[in-house]
Amino acid sequence: MSEIEIAKAPPDELFQLETDTWTEPYWNGCKDHILKLPKCGDCQHYVELGASHCRHCLSQNIEWVEHSGKGKVYSFTIVRFPVIPSLQGSVPYVPAVIELEGVDGLRLISNVIDTPLSDIDVGSEVCVHWHDRNDGVSLPRFKLIKP
Ligand SMILES: [Zn+2]
Ligand SMILES: [Zn+2]
């Protein structure tokens, strides 16, 4: 019988939240479990998270639009070895770049969790799941949508 390895969640210490004017609406949305993405109010392109202006038209007129949280795995890695002691018990975990449905020019760096490692692939369809930390920060993570 072969053991099925499941992608775990990395420990909270791994991610330190720093917000600024350009990311605060995003993190406030996360608190409400709503994925809010920055979009240019002038040319309607999505804006890179953290950018102060649209790289297409240089407008600073950024609007925040709600997203369904559905997307695809654009790339991923599997971390199997605990590089720091606090990671013991949290491996394997899967850092991934998520391409969100209908969104061009903005990708999220996150984790794929609660999924057999062998099921995760580039192009796998995922949807957002929220992780509420004790310090009031909520992080978007992604699980596979089973066909
Ligand atoms: Zn623009
Ligand atoms: Zn544009």
Side-chain angles (χ1 to χ4, degrees):
M1 198 180 116
S2 64
E3 195 187 329
I4 296 171
E5 284 189 292
I6 305 290
K8 295 185 183 173
D12 289 349
E13 309 87 274
L14 210 60
F15 179 75
Q16 297 291 329
L17 178 67
E18 284 171 32
T19 59
D20 56 30
T21 313
W22 312 109
T23 53
E24 210 179 312
Y26 173 78
W27 289 111
N28 283 339
C30 289
K31 273 184 199 170
D32 297 331
H33 293 187
I34 296 167
L35 206 53
K36 280 188 183 172
L37 304 179
K39 198 172 189 179
C40 177
D42 290 322
C43 78
Q44 303 302 315
H45 279 100
Y46 282 92
V47 176
E48 202 181 326
L49 195 60
S52 62
H53 60 269
C54 170
R55 69 187 165 91
H56 293 269
C57 71
L58 306 182
S59 168
Q60 289 193 309
N61 176 20
I62 292 171
E63 295 174 349
W64 292 85
V65 295
E66 289 186 21
H67 191 270
S68 67
K70 281 187 186 170
K72 286 181 178 177
V73 175
Y74 178 79
S75 66
F76 70 101
T77 52
I78 297 172
V79 178
R80 288 178 180 279
F81 300 103
V83 285
I84 49 172
S86 66
L87 285 178
Q88 209 101 39
S90 299
V91 289
Y93 67 91
V94 180
V97 179
I98 306 298
E99 193 163 53
L100 295 165
E101 197 173 67
V103 175
D104 199 16
L106 192 175
R107 295 186 182 118
L108 288 186
I109 298 166
S110 181
N111 290 274
V112 177
I113 56 159
D114 292 349
T115 301
L117 294 184
S118 55
D119 287 357
I120 304 171
D121 208 347
V122 169
S124 295
E125 291 189 16
V126 291
C127 64
V128 73
H129 284 259
W130 297 98
H131 171 60
D132 297 323
R133 302 203 310 200
N134 291 334
D135 61 359
V137 173
S138 294
L139 300 177
R141 288 173 174 167
F142 291 84
K143 292 187 190 182
L144 247 64
I145 300 169
K146 291 284 176 187

